[in-house]
Amino acid sequence: MDQPIRKRPVLYLAEFDTPDEIVHAAEKVRDAGYEKWDVHTPYPLHGMDKAMGLTDSGLGWIVLLCGLTGLAAAVTMIQWMNGYDYPLVIGGKPPDAIPSMVPIMFELTVLLSSFGAVFGMFGLNQLPKHHHPVFYSERFEAASNDKFFISIEVEDKRFDQNRTKELLESAHPSYIELVEEEVT
């Protein structure tokens, strides 16, 4: 005998028609104190970071530290190799001549900065995420065309099914959906 399919709620999804509506709704959700929520738009919206209460990313600091590490590694490596390990005088220049080091210092700085940018972005964005429950909604496909969405996850400590729905309804969305997933 087949067991009935059990479902559990994973998030609320509210759909909006205009950029102004989604910015206003994001401000309401931010002011309500939710932490595990996101805004999904077909294109970047000016002012959305402020409306969501987001701070500046720490990615710039990661890239700076990786770049400085690359620069220091290049100088150390060149000084060791040219000055002590295998000293050669080429073109009458001393082994520690700065102009001959510039290309290597530049390349290693750029290489480690690039690695810092890519892997720092993965870490800060908690990637890779192979699947998110928001994709259970059929209406969510419009997020890449012409609709704007806010999703509030059940894992948020302020989430209460009734109060969260009331909050989203107060922002006047064109559609609200409780997205559920199957429990095995």
Side-chain angles (χ1 to χ4, degrees):
M1 180 158 86
D2 291 331
Q3 293 182 350
I5 297 174
R6 294 183 339 176
K7 292 188 174 194
R8 69 175 178 97
V10 287
L11 59 89
Y12 259 118
L13 187 65
E15 179 182 325
F16 297 89
D17 295 322
T18 66
D20 292 336
E21 290 175 350
I22 194 77
V23 169
H24 176 68
E27 290 169 346
K28 281 189 168 212
V29 173
R30 174 201 65 203
D31 293 344
Y34 287 91
E35 294 176 5
K36 293 191 177 203
W37 64 286
D38 205 356
V39 174
H40 313 276
T41 63
Y43 51 84
L45 293 177
H46 180 70
M48 184 55 77
D49 292 348
K50 183 179 177 186
M52 291 179 70
L54 299 177
T55 59
D56 288 338
S57 170
L59 187 61
W61 291 106
I62 293 171
V63 172
L64 176 66
L65 289 174
C66 289
L68 291 175
T69 301
L71 180 64
V75 170
T76 303
M77 179 180 68
I78 293 169
Q79 288 294 329
W80 171 255
M81 289 178 184
N82 288 348
Y84 301 104
D85 189 35
Y86 196 71
L88 286 176
V89 177
I90 298 173
K93 296 180 185 140
D96 60 349
I98 298 292
S100 65
M101 295 185 202
V102 170
I104 288 43
M105 293 186 313
F106 174 78
E107 292 296 330
L108 206 50
T109 300
V110 169
L111 178 68
L112 290 190
S113 295
S114 302
F115 285 154
V118 170
F119 293 114
M121 184 266 310
F122 280 155
L124 293 174
N125 290 328
Q126 301 170 354
L127 294 175
K129 286 184 181 177
H130 300 290
H131 182 73
H132 192 276
V134 77
F135 297 120
Y136 291 134
S137 172
E138 291 181 16
R139 296 181 71 97
F140 188 71
E141 290 179 14
S144 62
N145 291 332
D146 60 349
K147 298 295 181 186
F148 304 86
F149 292 88
I150 287 184
S151 60
I152 303 177
E153 298 183 19
V154 171
E155 283 85 23
D156 194 296
K157 62 185 174 187
R158 298 197 42 93
F159 186 91
D160 174 80
Q161 197 162 339
N162 295 327
R163 286 190 312 205
T164 303
K165 185 175 182 181
E166 289 171 6
L167 172 70
L168 291 172
E169 286 174 343
S170 72
H172 309 294
S174 58
Y175 184 78
I176 294 180
E177 177 181 1
L178 179 64
V179 178
E180 298 177 320
E181 71 178 354
E182 293 180 6
V183 178
T184 56

